[in-house]
């Protein structure tokens, strides 16, 4: 009976480790994609703003997954949830600012 319990603990530990690194890796990958798109966009390639629009829902999905699996349900996880939502909100605000008229004129001026 003791051997079976140890096997279950090892399997559970592997599952938790996979979920942790998978969630964190997903969030970091989406953020890296956004950073690369913004870097290219800042070289006056305005059409990439629409690619950022497509990446924003992926960012939202990554935030929801991280919030569901990595954030503690108690009051200790509230700060992490707020930071995740602030990160998503800043990403959305940056996208909105990227499609304003003044920004479009900046992209056209070479």
């Amino acid at each position: 009976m003791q051997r079976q319990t140890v096997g279950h603990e090892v399997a559970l530990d592997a599952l938790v480790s996979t979920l942790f690194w998978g969630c964190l890796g997903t969030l970091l990958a989406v953020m890296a994609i956004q950073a690369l798109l913004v870097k290219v966009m800042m070289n006056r390639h305005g059409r990439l703003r629409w690619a950022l629009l497509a990446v924003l829902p992926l960012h939202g999905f990554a935030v929801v997954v991280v919030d569901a699996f990595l954030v503690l349900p108690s009051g200790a996880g509230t700060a992490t949830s707020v930071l995740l939502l602030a990160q998503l909100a800043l990403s959305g605000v940056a996208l909105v600012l990227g499609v304003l008229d003044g920004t479009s004129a900046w992209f056209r001026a070479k």
Side-chain angles (χ1 to χ4, degrees):
M1 198 61 113
Q2 184 68 16
R3 247 173 188 244
Q4 189 176 12
T5 306
V6 171
H8 289 296
E9 288 176 2
V10 169
L12 185 62
D13 186 46
L15 176 66
V16 168
S17 179
T18 302
L19 275 174
F20 175 78
W21 289 111
C23 291
L24 198 59
T26 301
L27 184 62
L28 291 176
V30 170
M31 289 171 49
I33 290 169
Q34 284 180 326
L36 288 173
L37 287 173
V38 167
K39 182 180 179 190
V40 174
M41 188 179 75
M42 294 309 291
N43 291 330
R44 297 195 186 261
H45 297 286
R47 293 181 190 215
L48 285 176
R49 293 176 290 175
W50 305 112
L52 279 171
L53 181 62
V55 173
L56 190 61
L58 289 174
H59 193 170
F61 174 74
V63 165
V64 168
V65 168
V66 167
D67 191 49
F69 288 111
L70 298 185
V71 176
L72 296 173
S74 66
T78 304
T80 306
S81 293
V82 168
L83 288 174
L84 285 169
L85 291 175
Q87 173 190 11
L88 184 60
L90 285 173
S91 181
V93 167
L95 181 65
V96 168
L97 291 176
V99 296
L100 291 176
D101 287 335
T103 310
S104 295
W106 182 80
F107 282 121
R108 283 193 298 268
K110 273 199 170 184

